[in-house]
Amino acid sequence: MTDVVTPPVRTPSSPGSRTGGRRKVLGRHPIGSLFALPYMVFVALIFAYPLVFACYIAFHDYFFTAPGVEMERPFVGLANFIDVLTDPQVLESFRNTAVFLVINVPLTAVAALVLASALNAGIRWAAAFRVAFYVPYLTASVSLVGVWMLLFSSGGLVNSVLGPLAPEPSWLVNSALAMPSIALYVTWKQLGFYILLYLAALQNIPAELHESAATDGASALQRFRHVTIPGVRNATTLVLILAIITGANLFTEPYLLTNGGGPDGASLTPVLLIYQKGIQQQNPDTAAAMGMILVIIVGLLSLTANRLTREK
Amino acid sequence: MTRTTAWWRYAILAAAALVFAFPFYFMVVGAFQQNPTNTPDEMFPREGWTLGNFTAIDSRIDLLGSLTNSLIFTAGVLLGTVTFGLLAGYALARLDFRGKSATWVLMMLVQMVPFQLLMIPLYVQITRSYGLGDTYLGMILPFLINTTAVFIFTQFFRALPKEIFEAARIDGASELRILRSVAVPMVRPALVTVLLVTFIGPWNEFLWPFLVTKDTSLQPLAVSLANYISNVAQSTANPNGAILAGATALAFPVVILFLLFQRYFTASDIGAAVKG
């Protein structure tokens, strides 16, 4: 089924320079390709082939059959894509993702940079703080979603602290607050990872830059703006792109936290819809088309983020 | 650095740390309480401690069985990643062979392929074409070799002085022997980092095992706990304690491992891994 990517073996052209010729063709250590072979087979089987297969499914009338049953699956051009783009549920899931990204991405970048720079100043207990920030990232979302559900339920701790200020209906069953609640949850869960990324970047800014700015009379805020922020520009690009990708991949949170994208589709996400359409409703072709559209949108957003943070 | 700015740093960090740690406190305390509280004045309970929540969740989802499934899933991924990742990492860092740059390009591409695109074709492939639905292999296969781990191995093997390898080759050692007896012992810290980075993926993974396992006796804890939360809990009288007990059981192995080995887990490794 899949063509395994192996380095082609050629016979050397002239018999006189036998070993030299073979070296040129295979490299000095041909055994290296044998070492890398399992990984290449894995990539071919788990990434390359499904990628091509996804395109095939998306352009055909594809359906599940019992094993061994051969059925014709005709080419249908863009029909699946048109189905997807005219489906109000799909458009709603994209709108919900937009709400998510507008809250999650800037909040993530700002909070991670602020906390990373606070950690970076050689303070005491830095390791303990780092661990506290990092633990939610390490923990299974299913665990933490269980905790947040109880905290934010209508009779939960958050509402009992807020008292009369508690929203009605409560957070996760309120159509205006469901998606923002998920965005807050994901920001909280992932932040530790982004703090680590920023910490690595901050450690690469030469201390002299801060010192000379300080001698020139720059305040802490001015140094943050003119030394720190430009100094971590590459990390910011990475943080934005990874946050966008995470946002586009949301599944577990709406599936569990808001009971499958509720209330009334207010927190429906594209991947949740791909699962419902492709596997529950047995329409893998529309689901594959939707996946492709989603990936194109994510690609464009990431490109924009890259442009915006690029040095002028 | 003036005294006031230092004070502010601590205030910001402490406030944030509280926000990050509190849900864990809530989870662990609630897991051992007869009636997990929802009011702030009972946040520090003195009585009502119990293990009943664990038996309650165990009666619905077979806690030990699910934990074993999580362990098998994770162990399979670790085994694949360490075996094949070390081979690939060593080859990429230390051997000159045809197809090396192609392998490198492939790795970059793999890091960029999003799961939304692979979900449906992989599901069709693994459950329909290969018939691996409801098997451990079907769960493990998409994660078998962690590309980030291959990057980390490559990075560490590259950092070793090349004279060591040349000397070993002159002594007539085979490349496999050099990898096993020279290279691997020198990158032990990398091995720990890779094990940690790789462990959290399958242990916490929900979506993929949820898709390929319908048989509850094969489901990892993340999946069976999710099923409990979304289906069973509503029909139970007092599910909160049981949910928190399950959440604690799922969270703890990773948190403990990380706390034990956290000195191996540094900002620069993560940065290197992500940037490739």
Side-chain angles (χ1 to χ4, degrees):
Chain A
M1 39 141 298
T2 317
D3 286 331
V4 173
V5 194
T6 31
V9 182
R10 277 183 239 150
T11 41
S13 43
S14 75
S17 64
R18 211 181 145 81
T19 46
R22 192 188 285 161
R23 262 188 191 186
K24 236 184 199 153
V25 178
L26 297 176
R28 277 193 302 133
H29 311 108
I31 195 168
S33 39
L34 202 63
F35 282 13
L37 188 67
Y39 180 72
M40 286 172 115
V41 173
F42 169 76
V43 170
L45 220 64
I46 298 299
F47 292 91
Y49 178 72
L51 216 57
V52 176
F53 191 29
C55 298
Y56 176 87
I57 297 177
F59 285 102
H60 287 75
D61 185 9
Y62 197 95
F63 42 86
F64 296 138
T65 52
V69 179
E70 281 305 315
M71 295 278 275
E72 207 179 326
R73 296 179 166 122
F75 177 78
V76 292
L78 292 172
N80 291 323
F81 292 89
I82 293 166
D83 281 354
V84 169
L85 290 172
T86 51
D87 182 343
Q89 263 199 319
V90 173
L91 302 179
E92 185 174 24
S93 76
F94 285 144
R95 267 198 307 275
N96 293 338
T97 306
V99 171
F100 176 92
L101 293 177
V102 164
I103 298 170
N104 169 268
V105 174
L107 194 62
T108 298
V110 172
L113 182 54
V114 167
L115 288 173
S117 2
L119 269 178
N120 193 39
I123 60 153
R124 260 190 275 176
W125 311 305
F129 282 123
R130 221 178 47 219
V131 170
F133 300 147
Y134 204 65
V135 165
Y137 172 72
L138 293 169
T139 308
S141 209
V142 174
S143 281
L144 298 175
V145 157
V147 177
W148 274 59
M149 262 173 63
L150 301 186
L151 288 174
F152 282 83
S153 66
S154 53
L157 184 69
V158 172
N159 281 353
S160 73
V161 169
L162 287 176
L165 292 173
E168 185 61 46
S170 190
W171 305 92
L172 300 167
V173 289
N174 182 321
S175 49
L177 292 175
M179 207 62 201
S181 302
I182 291 178
L184 269 186
Y185 166 81
V186 174
T187 310
W188 173 82
K189 166 123 177 46
Q190 303 285 339
L191 203 66
F193 174 73
Y194 298 113
I195 291 175
L196 272 197
L197 279 185
Y198 269 132
L199 263 179
L202 286 170
Q203 279 155 14
N204 289 332
I205 301 178
E208 299 85 56
L209 275 182
H210 275 286
E211 282 159 19
S212 65
T215 356
D216 291 346
S219 70
L221 215 59
Q222 281 172 320
R223 273 180 288 143
F224 186 74
R225 186 164 145 50
H226 296 289
V227 180
T228 307
I229 292 182
V232 296
R233 186 172 274 134
N234 289 339
T236 302
T237 311
L238 197 63
V239 168
L240 295 185
I241 291 175
L242 291 175
I244 290 169
I245 292 175
T246 309
N249 263 316
L250 280 187
F251 177 85
T252 312
E253 294 76 13
Y255 179 79
L256 290 174
L257 213 48
T258 54
N259 211 351
D264 210 15
S267 62
L268 194 64
T269 63
V271 174
L272 194 60
L273 211 51
I274 290 176
Y275 160 71
Q276 289 174 350
K277 282 183 184 304
I279 293 162
Q280 283 188 322
Q281 300 161 14
Q282 312 247 321
N283 288 318
D285 43 6
T286 25
M290 188 173 172
M292 288 180 73
I293 294 171
L294 183 60
V295 165
I296 292 169
I297 295 176
V298 172
L300 290 176
L301 284 178
S302 306
L303 219 62
T304 316
N306 190 23
R307 282 276 162 78
L308 287 178
T309 48
R310 183 77 59 70
E311 235 163 320
K312 292 185 191 79
Chain B
M1 204 65 36
T2 60
R3 195 165 285 226
T4 42
T5 51
W7 182 81
W8 274 107
R9 282 178 200 280
Y10 281 104
I12 292 172
L13 289 172
L18 199 69
V19 171
F20 279 84
F22 177 74
F24 285 89
Y25 173 80
F26 179 84
M27 174 173 85
V28 176
V29 170
F32 292 99
Q33 282 289 301
Q34 267 160 14
N35 295 303
T37 178
N38 277 320
T39 48
D41 48 321
E42 290 166 30
M43 232 36 259
F44 303 98
R46 286 158 184 271
E47 51 195 21
W49 301 103
T50 175
L51 289 171
N53 295 322
F54 289 90
T55 44
I57 187 128
D58 187 47
S59 69
R60 307 303 286 262
I61 65 170
D62 184 14
L63 209 50
L64 276 184
S66 312
L67 275 169
T68 311
N69 292 335
S70 293
L71 205 62
I72 293 173
F73 176 26
T74 308
V77 173
L78 286 177
L79 196 70
T81 296
V82 169
T83 317
F84 301 125
L86 274 175
L87 282 171
Y90 178 71
L92 285 167
R94 284 286 153 211
L95 300 175
D96 165 36
F97 63 96
R98 189 173 176 94
K100 182 170 168 165
S101 44
T103 315
W104 196 253
V105 171
L106 272 179
M107 280 171 75
M108 295 296 187
L109 290 177
V110 167
Q111 295 285 71
M112 282 189 279
V113 178
F115 190 72
Q116 311 98 311
L117 204 54
L118 298 180
M119 184 167 129
I120 293 294
L122 267 182
Y123 175 79
V124 176
Q125 238 179 308
I126 292 202
T127 62
R128 313 262 157 177
S129 312
Y130 305 161
L132 291 176
D134 276 324
T135 63
Y136 290 118
L137 188 60
M139 250 185 269
I140 293 168
L141 208 53
F143 303 89
L144 186 66
I145 309 177
N146 183 328
T147 295
T148 304
V150 182
F151 268 122
I152 298 178
F153 280 138
T154 309
Q155 227 84 318
F156 272 86
F157 283 137
R158 271 202 187 134
L160 299 176
K162 71 168 190 277
E163 290 76 19
I164 299 174
F165 296 95
E166 276 161 11
R169 276 179 202 134
I170 289 166
D171 288 346
S174 72
E175 292 299 335
L176 203 60
R177 174 86 203 270
I178 298 177
L179 171 63
R180 215 176 44 217
S181 327
V182 180
V184 171
M186 291 182 79
V187 294
R188 283 240 172 83
L191 216 56
V192 179
T193 307
V194 165
L195 288 176
L196 282 175
V197 170
T198 312
F199 187 91
I200 59 175
W203 187 269
N204 294 343
E205 176 67 24
F206 167 66
L207 179 51
W208 181 252
F210 166 75
L211 292 183
V212 297
T213 55
K214 295 286 161 266
D215 180 353
T216 49
S217 68
L218 278 168
Q219 286 172 342
L221 184 54
V223 178
S224 43
L225 181 60
N227 283 343
Y228 180 83
I229 292 175
S230 60
N231 300 323
V232 187
Q234 284 127 340
S235 60
T236 315
N238 182 21
N240 293 5
I243 289 177
L244 293 177
T248 306
L250 178 59
F252 250 62
V254 175
V255 174
I256 300 274
L257 263 185
F258 174 72
L259 290 179
L260 285 177
F261 293 103
Q262 73 110 358
R263 68 197 167 96
Y264 291 104
F265 212 64
T266 60
S268 50
D269 287 342
I270 302 303
V274 175
K275 279 176 247 164

